Amino acid sequence: MDSEAQRRFAQMLHHRTKSLAPGAPLAPEIITAATYHCPDVDNIAYIYGRASTPTWDVLEAQLAILEDAPCVAFPSGMAAISAALFATLGGGKRLVLPSDGYYVSRLLSQDFLASFGVEVVEIPTLQMEHFDYSGAAVVLIETPSNPGLDVCDIALIAAKVHAAGGVLIADNTTMTPLLQRPLDHGADIVVAADTKAPAGHSDVLFGHVSTRDATLLARLREWRRLSGAVPGSFEAWLVHRGVETLEVRLERMCASAMEIATRLSAHPRVKNTRYPGLSQDPSHVTAKRQMSGFGFLIGFELEDRARAEAFLTACPYIAQATSFGSTHSSAERRARWGDAVPEGFIRLSVGIEPRDVLWAAIEAALDQT
Ligand SMILES: *Cc1c(COP(=O)(O)O)cnc(C)c1O
């Protein structure tokens, strides 16, 4: 984590401290009102819960410090991605997105945006740097991509997309703003599923969008108000609480992931270990330049589907679950969702278990499968 991210994190922990009245609670309040006292409509911050809610504002202020940009909260990562796409696209416009990225973004584009006349183009993350973006209104990237962990150069792609007159959206879910700040590399909009590491406890769905462009920001807020894709206050409060420990969790998770990836890559049963922190990884050079940590996701292959399933069943400290970024380690065979990966490919999300205990369990499970 770079010193800028550390400074932002400390500032974030105290973002409410100075404005509190004596006797005010240190923890934010959960305000669930649908409607507010409104004797006249001028100069009132809160009128109706779909337009604005105090508990969202607290969370948005917190996340805005980490992003170094205003933030709009949404009830899930996909609600945030939908907002970014609907706010920027329209009939006859072209969207370019990764063929190896989060599959739900692809399904949304194919099943809904395409039927509104959006031209949907899918290309692999590794072709993003070389693609001709002429005619593209919106480009969505995901780096590292999920689940393959390929990396693309955000600054280079931003320059090409802008030269073609397009808008660049970066899905930063796998990194969080503490490990990578796409807006600093030229992306126009960052989207993220806070369901993952930011909330961090597998107990809430959430998402956010950040941008430094005032016109886009207003449109994203308007999309939320009109579409009604609004988060609940309790969920916003849970995310605010989770984010307060994000830096310590990430530190443990990234350090463990580096060590476990190194050991996996040397294990005779394991093939094609992918982790951007490994010096031999094809993503390493670009990752080192634009990320300030290599994350907590590892990809690797066992011989076949049966071996992969036996491993996942045998390891007591890996939850067999979809999703990632929680306190507990979790993993799954991504081919079960139809991702274009080998049958024995496993995506492992390293949690906060003490590292040597976790590795001992992984090694024992590998040895018996
Ligand atoms: C999980 C995820 C999403 C969607 O988030 P939800 O909160 O499940 O809607 C979007 N992008 C990526 C990269 C993800 O991993």
Side-chain angles (χ1 to χ4, degrees):
M1 214 163 291
D2 59 15
S3 56
E4 169 73 8
Q6 291 184 7
R7 194 185 60 71
R8 290 195 171 285
F9 193 76
Q11 187 193 341
M12 181 219 84
L13 285 175
H14 292 277
H15 79 104
R16 300 175 64 250
T17 316
K18 292 288 180 280
S19 61
L20 292 177
L26 272 187
E29 289 163 278
I30 305 172
I31 295 169
T32 59
T35 191
Y36 296 80
H37 182 55
C38 183
D40 74 81
V41 294
D42 296 326
N43 304 316
I44 294 187
Y46 304 106
I47 294 173
Y48 187 63
R50 182 161 29 72
S52 55
T53 290
T55 316
W56 306 346
D57 291 356
V58 174
L59 175 67
E60 288 177 351
Q62 181 200 43
L63 293 173
I65 293 170
L66 297 187
E67 293 285 8
D68 193 18
C71 164
V72 190
F74 286 93
S76 68
M78 280 316 303
I81 291 170
S82 303
L85 295 176
F86 278 89
T88 51
L89 284 164
K93 291 191 174 173
R94 182 181 301 163
L95 164 68
V96 180
L97 81 169
S99 56
D100 51 349
Y102 188 60
Y103 74 112
V104 184
S105 301
R106 293 203 303 276
L107 293 181
L108 172 77
S109 305
Q110 292 159 3
D111 293 357
F112 288 91
L113 296 173
S115 65
F116 294 129
V118 173
E119 185 196 344
V120 178
V121 179
E122 296 181 9
I123 62 168
T125 294
L126 288 178
Q127 277 177 32
M128 289 281 178
E129 292 173 12
H130 315 288
F131 195 71
D132 176 3
Y133 291 107
S134 319
V138 177
V139 177
L140 173 69
I141 57 170
E142 211 182 290
T143 176
S145 62
N146 168 31
L149 303 181
D150 283 325
V151 161
C152 56
D153 186 321
I154 303 170
L156 191 151
I157 295 165
K160 292 184 79 165
V161 171
H162 292 158
V167 168
L168 180 63
I169 304 173
D171 183 335
N172 202 34
T173 299
T174 54
M175 285 282 98
T176 86
L178 290 180
L179 301 179
Q180 175 171 271
R181 289 187 302 278
L183 298 177
D184 290 355
H185 298 292
D188 302 287
I189 297 176
V190 61
V191 292
D194 298 305
T195 309
K196 313 290 169 58
H201 294 72
S202 304
D203 54 9
V204 61
L205 288 162
F206 216 86
H208 76 268
V209 183
S210 279
T211 178
R212 294 173 185 155
D213 180 310
T215 311
L216 287 173
L217 183 70
R219 212 163 148 71
L220 289 160
R221 291 218 169 100
E222 195 63 351
W223 165 262
R224 180 175 64 183
R225 186 174 75 89
L226 301 182
S227 71
V230 289
S233 291
F234 180 60
E235 286 72 15
W237 181 89
L238 274 176
V239 175
H240 188 276
R241 179 182 158 116
V243 169
E244 295 216 325
T245 56
L246 179 60
E247 197 257 359
V248 276
R249 285 185 285 112
L250 282 179
E251 201 165 79
R252 164 70 68 88
M253 288 155 72
C254 295
S256 295
M258 183 72 210
E259 189 62 35
I260 288 170
T262 305
R263 294 181 190 181
L264 280 174
S265 66
H267 196 283
R269 288 259 160 84
V270 175
K271 289 186 296 187
N272 298 330
T273 305
R274 291 298 309 269
Y275 182 67
L278 296 175
S279 56
Q280 73 272 21
D281 192 274
S283 294
H284 185 65
V285 174
T286 309
K288 226 167 119 177
R289 195 167 56 236
Q290 72 188 12
M291 290 150 52
S292 63
F294 297 113
F296 46 83
L297 291 177
I298 301 172
F300 64 97
E301 266 177 67
L302 296 180
E303 194 174 305
D304 52 27
R305 175 179 174 163
R307 288 270 167 104
E309 283 173 356
F311 164 73
L312 292 172
T313 306
C315 186
Y317 297 141
I318 294 181
Q320 290 197 59
T322 197
S323 196
F324 55 80
S326 193
T327 48
H328 54 262
S329 293
S330 64
E332 66 175 338
R333 266 188 346 102
R334 285 304 295 187
R336 67 181 182 165
W337 300 113
D339 284 351
V341 292
E343 286 290 329
F345 173 88
I346 290 173
R347 182 189 66 197
L348 169 65
S349 171
V350 176
I352 64 170
E353 298 89 352
R355 187 192 63 208
D356 292 339
V357 179
L358 178 58
W359 172 252
I362 290 174
E363 194 178 33
L366 283 173
D367 291 344
Q368 75 183 74
T369 51

